[in-house]
Amino acid sequence: MKADVVLGLQWGDEGKGKIVDVLSSQYQAVARYHGGSNAGHTLEFDGQKIVLSVLPSGIVKKEIHNVIGSGVVLDVMTLRHELEVLESSGYRVSDWQNLSISKKAHLILPTHRLLDRLAEERLGERKIGSTQKGIAPAYADKVLRKGIRVADVLQPNFEVRCRKLMEEHRNQLPQTMAKEIDLEAYYQEFMESIRVLQKFPLIDTELVLNDILNKGGSILAEGAQATLLDLDHGSYPFVTSSNALSGGACVGLGIAPHKIGDVYGVFKAYCTRVGNGPFPTEMEGESAALLRTVGNEFGAVTKRSRRTGWLDLPTLKYAIMLNGVTKLIITKVDVLSAMETIQLCTHYLVEGKRVDHASTLVESDAIVPVFKEFKSWGDVGSAREESQLPTALIDYIAFLEEALMVPIAYISVGPDRAQMVKRACFDHF
Ligand code: GDP
Ligand code: IMO
Ligand code: MG
């Protein structure tokens, strides 16, 4: 059996959490492979809404083994908070013991967040728009080989090392900022969260995951952020600090490439981006505001307004290529019902020349997106089968499949777990 991957093909918030929740029952394990508390993955079912930042999206199902892989940078304070919220809603993760954490995952210290804030302040107008969760500074320490890992929690010098690194971070802050900080209070809160972490198996998760595969089980690898925010292939420097691509799942979980099965590429029927950086099909004015309101395009973590734009085929083709997407999943088609007509960017003109496949976008690119107009399709939120979808939407899907040359396996028609249409041709899968 194989490890399938769910990942985003745009700039994040495509609905990966919902998709993992829908698909997870088919798998023995759900494993997060990179990123950290910059993610916000939303699950909706039975009238409940759950937002997960660090926990894998299979966590609400007792029988599923959830793994935080070695590629993740783990904020234990967010972990603790998320567990408390879940437990108060009846998801007793500590009792269920359906979570294990890689010994090799790096820890985010409270001072990493301060360094993140400082870096953004120093950039001024050129800021990335980071979530300021300490992601980049934690990965930087990992690369500098001075990061503190989950395994270190078990070592006698753990406390000394944490204090030393936190002091080193404080010394990088300007005097005014450093003075405001009560390092001891941060430290105490961090250590309380470490005690929560220790309730769970801190193990070599790559052994567990490979064991599941070797015994004929299957795994769903959960991506965070998305392809166009990938550290190597996204719109650098307006990217996150890890590899969101399917290849990142191999590294971040310790799974060999030939064990990867389906790669599910999730994309919204339009585009959004939080933070700065190039966005060729960005909309402005009333239509942008309408899409933001109807689509509830406000950050799951930071509550920031998301920038909105039309669906962009050149970047989608690029993302499909980078990830080797085998099946597409389109989300939020219901949101486009609010628009009078629907635009789709089929290609760009760059210096008068047609460009069908985008590569890495840079800000200085003088891109002119070329749009094709589609008819709107009315309300689709109650559709559960392909036969219940309006012809205008079916035509739109057929156009996308032909252009992208990858089948669309699922159409998400609303935020709820049940609001999903599986394409008829995939019924036997
Ligand atoms: P993720 O980061 O990719 O998991 O996505 P987020 O959870 O940050 O953002 C997606 C938002 O859209 C969440 O509020 C979801 O509940 C919601 N959502 C997911 N799929 C659909 C859909 O098909 N239609 C609508 N209207 N909302 C959706
Ligand atoms: P999910 O998993 C959307 C964006 C930030 C910023 C850039 C760098 O919910 O899709 P960072 O905090 O990583 O230093 O921020 O990346 N970003 C996201 N945008 N969804 C996310 O995660 C994101 N995680 C980071 O807005 O532009
Ligand atoms: Mg999100």
Side-chain angles (χ1 to χ4, degrees):
M1 292 296 273
K2 300 270 185 181
D4 294 340
V5 186
V6 166
L7 50 77
L9 298 178
Q10 296 160 321
W11 285 282
D13 306 324
E14 296 89 349
K16 299 175 290 294
K18 168 181 170 167
I19 301 305
V20 171
D21 179 46
V22 168
L23 299 180
S24 60
S25 300
Q26 304 166 29
Y27 298 85
Q28 275 68 52
V30 172
R32 269 282 300 272
Y33 60 88
H34 75 112
S37 45
N38 46 352
H41 294 182
T42 316
L43 281 51
E44 287 196 37
F45 53 88
D46 302 339
Q48 299 175 70
K49 182 171 175 167
I50 294 170
V51 180
L52 301 168
S53 281
V54 295
L55 288 164
S57 297
I59 200 73
V60 294
K61 296 179 185 167
K62 188 179 172 181
E63 66 287 358
I64 293 178
H65 189 155
N66 286 267
V67 168
I68 295 179
S70 60
V72 169
V73 282
L74 179 60
D75 185 328
V76 284
M77 292 180 295
T78 308
L79 175 75
R80 178 184 172 199
H81 173 73
E82 225 160 85
L83 287 166
E84 279 169 9
V85 173
L86 280 178
E87 306 236 337
S88 69
S89 310
Y91 302 97
R92 302 193 321 276
V93 180
S94 311
D95 295 343
W96 295 348
Q97 284 290 310
N98 62 339
L99 172 68
S100 53
I101 299 163
S102 170
K103 276 176 164 178
K104 296 180 190 166
H106 280 244
L107 294 172
I108 297 185
L109 301 179
T111 40
H112 282 128
R113 293 192 200 163
L114 299 174
L115 292 178
D116 216 358
R117 200 176 95 198
L118 177 69
E120 284 286 84
E121 278 172 16
R122 287 199 168 142
L123 283 170
E125 294 216 326
R126 302 285 310 150
K127 71 178 180 192
I128 309 296
S130 162
T131 58
Q132 302 187 21
K133 301 290 180 184
I135 306 297
Y139 277 120
D141 277 349
K142 171 177 175 174
V143 174
L144 288 167
R145 290 160 296 181
K146 60 182 184 185
I148 299 179
R149 304 197 296 175
V150 166
D152 298 326
V153 169
L154 311 167
Q155 300 299 320
N157 64 350
F158 175 68
E159 296 204 19
V160 175
R161 283 193 60 200
C162 289
R163 281 184 187 276
K164 198 167 155 239
L165 191 54
M166 282 172 66
E167 270 164 32
E168 189 182 316
H169 291 155
R170 185 182 48 189
N171 293 339
Q172 292 169 39
L173 301 174
Q175 288 259 307
T176 43
M177 202 169 162
K179 263 195 226 149
E180 281 172 26
I181 289 154
D182 183 349
L183 214 54
E184 192 54 33
Y186 276 139
Y187 183 74
Q188 292 308 333
E189 195 193 342
F190 174 73
M191 284 311 293
E192 276 169 35
S193 306
I194 290 290
R195 284 187 272 282
V196 174
L197 175 77
Q198 285 177 304
K199 290 186 191 166
F200 296 93
L202 311 178
I203 55 172
D204 290 318
T205 49
E206 64 278 19
L207 299 182
V208 174
L209 292 173
N210 279 286
D211 196 45
I212 291 175
L213 293 175
N214 292 339
K215 287 185 175 145
S218 56
I219 292 165
L220 189 59
E222 177 175 2
Q225 291 77 61
T227 306
L228 304 175
L229 290 171
D230 181 87
L231 178 59
D232 286 72
H233 297 282
S235 44
Y236 193 90
F238 300 102
V239 293
T240 190
S241 304
S242 64
N243 290 111
L245 299 188
S246 53
C250 295
V251 181
L253 296 177
I255 292 175
H258 70 278
K259 293 188 177 162
I260 299 292
D262 271 318
V263 177
Y264 289 98
V266 187
F267 68 104
K268 278 186 213 191
Y270 49 95
C271 290
T272 61
R273 180 166 198 166
V274 214
N276 295 327
F279 188 171
T281 61
E282 185 163 12
M283 291 155 72
E284 279 171 9
E286 275 176 32
S287 42
L290 179 64
L291 204 51
R292 185 174 303 121
T293 310
V294 180
N296 190 24
E297 296 298 351
F298 300 92
V301 178
T302 58
K303 315 282 178 235
R304 290 181 292 173
S305 289
R306 295 175 182 152
R307 297 158 66 194
T308 51
W310 295 110
L311 188 61
D312 174 340
L313 290 190
T315 53
L316 258 188
K317 287 176 184 171
Y318 182 55
I320 288 169
M321 176 196 81
L322 291 171
N323 292 299
V325 172
T326 59
K327 290 181 183 140
L328 288 163
I329 300 180
I330 185 169
T331 61
K332 302 194 105 162
V333 292
D334 55 303
V335 175
L336 287 188
S337 309
M339 310 306 278
E340 234 166 76
T341 55
I342 290 157
Q343 306 293 331
L344 169 67
C345 169
T346 51
H347 58 281
Y348 303 152
L349 290 178
V350 179
E351 291 173 4
K353 288 205 186 93
R354 181 181 169 121
V355 173
D356 285 284
H357 288 75
S359 64
T360 307
L361 300 169
V362 288
E363 265 195 313
S364 55
D365 285 344
I367 291 171
V368 180
V370 179
F371 293 101
K372 179 175 164 61
E373 193 170 290
F374 286 79
K375 273 193 266 168
S376 191
W377 39 73
D379 191 17
V380 293
S382 55
R384 297 292 176 270
E385 289 172 17
E386 198 173 343
S387 60
Q388 296 166 336
L389 294 175
T391 314
L393 176 55
I394 296 279
D395 290 348
Y396 181 78
I397 297 289
F399 183 89
L400 289 179
E401 282 185 322
E402 199 181 327
L404 299 170
M405 294 192 297
V406 181
I408 295 179
Y410 291 90
I411 302 166
S412 173
V413 295
D416 195 89
R417 186 190 270 174
Q419 290 179 294
M420 199 69 170
V421 173
K422 188 172 183 181
R423 300 292 298 290
C425 53
F426 285 96
D427 266 354
H428 55 286
F429 288 99

